Amino acid sequence: MKIPFVTFRPLEHELDKELRGAFETVYNNSWYIEGQEDEKFEKAYAEYCGMPYCVGCGNGLDALVLALKALGIGEGDEVIVPSNTYIATALAVTYTGAQVVFVEPDIRTYNINPLLIEAAITDKTKAIMPVHLYGQPCDMDPIMEIANRRGLKVIEDCAQAHGALYKGRKIGTFGIASGFSFYPGKNLGALGDAGATITSDKDVADKIRAYGNYGSDYKYHHIYKGNNSRLDEMQAAFLSAKLPHLDRMNECRRAIADKYLKGINNPEVILPYVPDYALPVWHIFAVRSSRRDELEKFLNEAGIGTNKHYPIPMHLQGAYKDLGFKEGDFPLAEEISRTELSLPLFYGMTDEEINYVIDKINEFK
């Protein structure tokens, strides 16, 4: 049996009429930037998240960059980020001129460990950027307690966690602003690059929109040195077509993850840990094994697609060699990078495919 790591075919087939209709609507309107489809999606997504404002942009990285800039974070400032995440989180800080400060994860959840944040705060710290990695909510209460007590902003990186719940409340609604990616592979994915920032603050929303439109608050009037990062009409229309199905798609992912959690019983494999406070959306089903590369080879030879998120931690990437970190400086991030393996999990995955993956993992010796 051949099982890809991910495929969009089941969802695209199911939503074929809606997606083609979205294309036709935009094409027939002959309006492609900052139009009614953008407004429609922003309003719908803000309501879905339970926040008053949503500003679309070009991608998930820009969603974070624009939020940081709108909050006045820049050169001379420090922003705390997890040592274990995709590099976009750190790049967003770097692009503002601020300095990234890495904090290690909880080895069980792979998310930033709130108990380690306080020690990383200096007089230059301006914000904390927790990442809801793999669709698993961070432990937000202690993070918000630290931020409120120390006068810090919280910007949530929600790129992988559309619709996830922390203690029954949607992620992205705790900080002053939150960034989302709608890259095609995400739980809510466009048919190209797209992103958005949500916030409860109108002034912040207005600044984000201006920064993403060349720093302009109205045509040819530029109040900031801005970017060109706007959610185009076509992607907005596709996202509006998919949004009503997001909760159902997430439930499908939870059902697959539940089968994995109950069915995989190989002592060579460490399964994901789900705290009581979390209702994940399982963007990634990440297992760990000290024999990760052998397991990957075994599964690939059995026709099962896999991935690694992420094989080189940020502090050891060439992009951040200027920070002077060396191997051993962030041992938990390094341990996760050495041992993590992502299993197939996608909307429309059949019971036969799920059971095949489970059986093969349990056969690995």
Side-chain angles (χ1 to χ4, degrees):
M1 181 180 290
K2 292 286 187 182
I3 303 174
F5 174 68
V6 66
T7 178
F8 309 135
R9 291 299 182 192
L11 180 62
E12 289 172 344
H13 178 74
E14 189 175 303
L15 300 184
D16 182 78
K17 183 178 180 180
E18 289 95 328
L19 295 173
R20 290 181 186 275
F23 170 81
E24 292 289 342
T25 296
V26 176
Y27 186 70
N28 290 335
N29 285 343
S30 193
W31 190 283
Y32 303 105
I33 299 290
E34 294 187 316
Q36 63 185 24
E37 293 301 322
D38 190 12
E39 292 179 7
K40 175 184 173 182
F41 174 72
E42 288 180 351
K43 182 176 184 295
Y45 197 65
E47 290 177 354
Y48 174 81
C49 292
M51 290 285 262
Y53 306 104
C54 171
V55 182
C57 62
N59 53 69
L61 171 57
D62 285 355
L64 297 174
V65 173
L66 296 173
L68 289 165
K69 286 185 175 182
L71 293 168
I73 292 169
E75 190 171 347
D77 297 332
E78 293 178 351
V79 178
I80 291 171
V81 303
S83 60
N84 177 57
T85 184
Y86 184 55
I87 197 169
T89 310
L91 289 175
V93 177
T94 301
Y95 289 168
T96 69
Q99 183 71 44
V100 294
V101 175
F102 295 124
V103 168
E104 288 272 73
D106 181 327
I107 194 63
R108 301 172 304 166
T109 65
Y110 313 141
N111 283 329
I112 193 168
N113 189 338
L115 299 177
L116 303 178
I117 291 175
E118 195 100 36
I121 297 173
T122 72
D123 58 0
K124 296 181 180 180
T125 306
K126 293 296 186 293
I128 305 168
M129 189 180 288
V131 180
H132 305 288
L133 195 65
Y134 305 150
Q136 171 90 273
C138 291
D139 193 357
M140 291 306 299
D141 281 352
I143 293 172
M144 294 306 302
E145 189 280 325
I146 293 168
N148 292 334
R149 178 163 44 82
R150 300 297 293 265
L152 304 177
K153 303 292 186 184
V154 172
I155 301 98
E156 297 174 66
D157 184 339
C158 306
Q160 300 183 1
H162 315 68
L165 301 180
Y166 173 80
K167 296 184 177 179
R169 176 177 166 184
K170 282 207 174 77
I171 54 90
T173 63
F174 294 86
I176 183 65
S178 303
F180 288 83
S181 167
F182 303 121
Y183 180 78
K186 298 299 169 65
N187 290 33
L188 179 61
L191 272 63
D193 269 324
T197 307
I198 60 172
T199 179
S200 58
D201 189 307
K202 184 179 186 303
D203 183 56
V204 172
D206 289 343
K207 287 180 179 179
I208 290 170
R209 192 175 300 281
Y211 269 114
N213 187 30
Y214 298 98
S216 174
D217 55 348
Y218 60 89
K219 196 172 182 68
Y220 301 135
H221 185 256
H222 304 272
I223 52 178
Y224 310 116
K225 295 182 178 71
N227 301 47
N228 174 18
S229 183
R230 299 167 296 194
L231 176 61
D232 72 67
E233 287 287 278
M234 196 67 74
Q235 300 306 334
F238 291 142
L239 289 167
S240 289
K242 284 187 171 184
L243 181 58
H245 304 277
L246 177 57
D247 286 341
R248 179 172 59 83
M249 292 187 290
N250 283 340
E251 283 301 324
C252 173
R253 302 180 80 91
R254 290 189 186 108
I256 296 167
D258 188 57
K259 289 184 173 74
Y260 278 160
L261 291 170
K262 291 177 179 177
I264 297 172
N265 57 19
N266 190 327
E268 295 281 354
V269 176
I270 300 170
L271 292 170
Y273 168 76
V274 182
D276 291 340
Y277 59 69
L279 185 63
V281 291
W282 300 104
H283 173 61
I284 298 294
F285 192 91
V287 301
R288 288 197 300 119
S289 174
S290 60
R291 297 170 59 206
R292 187 266 307 278
D293 293 343
E294 295 174 64
L295 175 60
E296 180 181 40
K297 183 174 183 289
F298 177 81
L299 293 177
N300 292 170
E301 289 176 348
I304 297 170
T306 57
N307 208 330
K308 296 188 282 286
H309 295 87
Y310 301 94
I312 304 173
M314 289 182 295
H315 67 284
L316 298 180
Q317 294 280 1
Y320 282 107
K321 64 182 179 182
D322 59 305
L323 298 183
F325 293 119
K326 62 184 184 305
E327 191 170 345
D329 285 342
F330 295 95
L332 295 183
E334 293 169 25
E335 172 70 11
I336 294 168
S337 293
R338 278 193 301 266
T339 59
E340 190 276 343
L341 187 67
S342 303
L343 303 183
L345 196 158
F346 50 86
Y347 178 81
M349 198 173 180
T350 67
D351 285 343
E352 184 182 13
E353 290 171 328
I354 298 165
N355 291 332
Y356 182 74
V357 174
I358 292 170
D359 291 343
K360 287 301 174 184
I361 291 176
N362 288 340
E363 287 175 16
F364 177 68
K365 304 297 180 185

